[in-house]
Amino acid sequence: MKAALKSKYDIDNNGGAAATLAFNAGDVNLRASFTDATFINGPSLTALALSIDKPGSFIVDYNLPKKDVRFQFMNTISVAEKPLNLTYIHSWRDNRTILDGTLVLDSANKISGNYALDSGNSKLKYTYVHNGLTIFEPTYDVAKNTWDFAVSRRVYGDDVFKASYQTSSKVLGLEWSRNSKSTGCFKVLASVNLAEEQKLPKLSAETTWNFEV
């Protein structure tokens, strides 16, 4: 059994904690997720979610408080001898369906896109990995006719620095994350809306601890 404990703090909403317990049952994984809201006023079903998944095949999530089910099915086909990863996502209560696909051209280049059936919104993204360390990701929002840009670079093995800019909202974001088995996992995010008169940055931080039970 694996367990993960995540804590998050941001200036606007203070802090919070979440935990996940995962069990391996042959070809599938069983997972239970909950937050501190589950225990604040005594044990309850608040913020409790259950899921079952088979890696590379399907994921089924059930949100107990909302009584909502989310289905996700994955498959890979070959197009011109290139792998095309397809994902079908459907949220039952919201009646939302999203189709997602990623065509892997080679180890450094891939093209991905998604389409929301309910709204008709779609996005296209190109990902380029330079020397295995720097990633460039321009994204085109078809509905808004705008571009988003992101650049990330891995340093010191486990640390990743990322900068992003959304042209539609004029939000500039900076992120520092680490995913290490020895020193732990964390993420620090800062964003600022350049369209606002008072350009006050928003800060948040996340820390994750993984355990083998």
Side-chain angles (χ1 to χ4, degrees), residues 133-187:
L133 296 175
T134 307
I135 301 177
F136 300 91
E137 293 180 305
T139 302
Y140 176 63
D141 191 316
V142 177
K144 297 179 181 179
N145 191 27
T146 57
W147 286 89
D148 297 334
F149 300 94
V151 180
S152 59
R153 181 173 177 83
R154 182 176 298 276
V155 296
Y156 307 118
D158 299 321
D159 291 30
V160 175
F161 290 92
K162 181 178 180 180
S164 62
Y165 180 68
Q166 301 174 5
T167 58
S168 59
S169 58
K170 292 182 171 39
V171 173
L172 175 66
L174 297 175
E175 176 183 310
W176 172 30
S177 62
R178 176 180 296 172
N179 189 355
S180 172
K181 293 182 178 180
S182 58
T183 59
C185 307
F186 68 81
K187 183 185 296 185

Side-chain angles (χ1 to χ4, degrees), residues 31-151:
R31 186 177 294 105
S33 304
F34 47 90
T35 70
D36 50 0
T38 308
F39 302 97
I40 287 179
N41 297 318
S44 66
L45 299 181
T46 303
L48 179 61
L50 304 174
S51 69
I52 177 172
D53 76 271
K54 183 177 181 180
S57 183
F58 68 85
I59 301 174
V60 180
D61 297 314
Y62 180 60
N63 188 307
L64 272 71
K66 296 181 180 179
K67 297 182 180 179
D68 188 17
V69 183
R70 179 178 179 271
F71 303 93
Q72 181 172 324
F73 300 96
M74 297 85 77
N75 195 12
T76 300
I77 62 175
S78 180
V79 176
E81 299 182 352
K82 304 293 183 181
L84 174 61
N85 303 318
L86 299 173
T87 304
Y88 171 89
I89 304 172
H90 179 74
S91 298
W92 174 72
R93 181 168 291 277
D94 297 334
N95 194 26
R96 295 185 59 195
T97 301
I98 298 175
L99 303 178
D100 187 276
T102 300
L103 180 63
V104 182
L105 303 176
D106 52 43
S107 59
N109 299 272
K110 64 181 180 181
I111 301 173
S112 58
N114 63 65
Y115 178 74
L117 270 65
D118 58 326
S119 63
N121 293 341
S122 60
K123 291 185 178 181
L124 297 173
K125 181 171 67 174
Y126 171 67
T127 302
Y128 169 67
V129 182
H130 181 68
N131 292 333
L133 296 175
T134 307
I135 301 177
F136 300 91
E137 293 180 305
T139 302
Y140 176 63
D141 191 316
V142 177
K144 297 179 181 179
N145 191 27
T146 57
W147 286 89
D148 297 334
F149 300 94
V151 180

